[in-house]
């Protein structure tokens, strides 16, 4: 007796989806949601929403769990959503000279020499830490939802005669 590897055409699960269904998902590049997330974090940073990287990190944690991202891919997106997203908001402030006094104070408190970029570097490091702290509960939420107990199916009740 041999088994056939072909699927029967009458099974709904084996058929191809409708031509228009989810065709938009095939046209959107895989990196587009991450870039949109980075743009949202940049706008949030420009508006003073300092916690935006943590929220983006939580979303990244859920997406990383659903998509099965490994450590390296999650780390790359964490850098994109944190420090790289904050640069457009911080660079004009820094180039306008707003960080000179703050640099000296932060360098003195950290015990490092005043190199002129201390505050910018520490701020970008804080953005990275925020994203990574956000990834943790996002990944945990995905794990909890994935392993949540399901209600057992009840057999149908027999019809009374």
């Amino acid at each position: 007796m041999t088994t056939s590897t072909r699927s029967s055409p009458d099974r709904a699960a084996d058929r191809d989806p409708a031509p228009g269904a989810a065709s938009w998902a095939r046209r959107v590049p895989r990196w587009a949601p991450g870039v949109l997330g980075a743009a949202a974090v940049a706008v949030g940073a420009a508006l003073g929403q300092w916690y935006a990287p943590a929220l983006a990190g939580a979303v990244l944690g859920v997406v990383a769990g659903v998509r099965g991202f490994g450590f390296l891919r999650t780390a790359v997106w964490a850098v994109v959503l944190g420090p790289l997203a904050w640069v457009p908001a911080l660079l004009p402030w820094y180039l306008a000279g707003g960080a000179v006094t703050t640099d000296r104070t932060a360098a003195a408190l950290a015990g490092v020499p005043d190199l002129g970029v201390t505050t910018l570097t520490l701020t970008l490091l804080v953005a990275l830490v925020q994203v990574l702290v956000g990834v943790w509960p996002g990944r945990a939420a995905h794990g909890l939802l994935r392993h949540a107990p399901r209600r057992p199916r009840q057999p149908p009740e027999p019809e009374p005669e």
Side-chain angles (χ1 to χ4, degrees):
M1 182 173 193
T2 62
T3 58
S4 174
T5 57
R6 294 185 183 182
S7 62
S8 63
D10 57 336
R11 290 190 60 200
D14 293 336
R15 284 183 284 185
D16 290 331
S23 63
W24 64 270
R26 286 188 288 265
R27 286 182 269 160
V28 174
R30 295 179 70 117
W31 49 264
V35 171
L36 289 174
V41 171
V43 168
L47 295 175
Q49 306 301 318
W50 55 268
Y51 53 85
L55 296 177
V59 172
L60 174 62
V62 172
V63 169
V66 169
R67 286 285 187 96
F69 288 176
F71 173 77
L72 184 61
R73 185 173 286 173
T74 304
V76 167
W77 280 114
V79 170
V80 169
L81 290 174
L84 290 181
W86 268 15
V87 165
L90 294 175
L91 203 55
W93 169 74
Y94 184 78
L95 292 176
V100 175
T101 308
T102 312
D103 273 338
R104 291 187 182 133
T105 306
L109 290 172
V112 296
D114 182 18
L115 300 175
V117 294
T118 307
T119 302
L120 187 63
T121 304
L122 291 175
T123 304
L124 296 179
L125 186 62
V126 165
L128 179 63
V129 169
Q130 282 185 353
V131 172
L132 294 176
V133 167
V135 167
W136 178 35
R139 196 74 184 235
H142 171 262
L144 288 173
L145 293 174
R146 192 172 122 210
H147 298 297
R150 295 189 175 97
R151 290 182 15 202
R153 285 189 158 181
Q154 299 293 329
E157 295 182 22
E159 294 181 16
E161 293 183 27

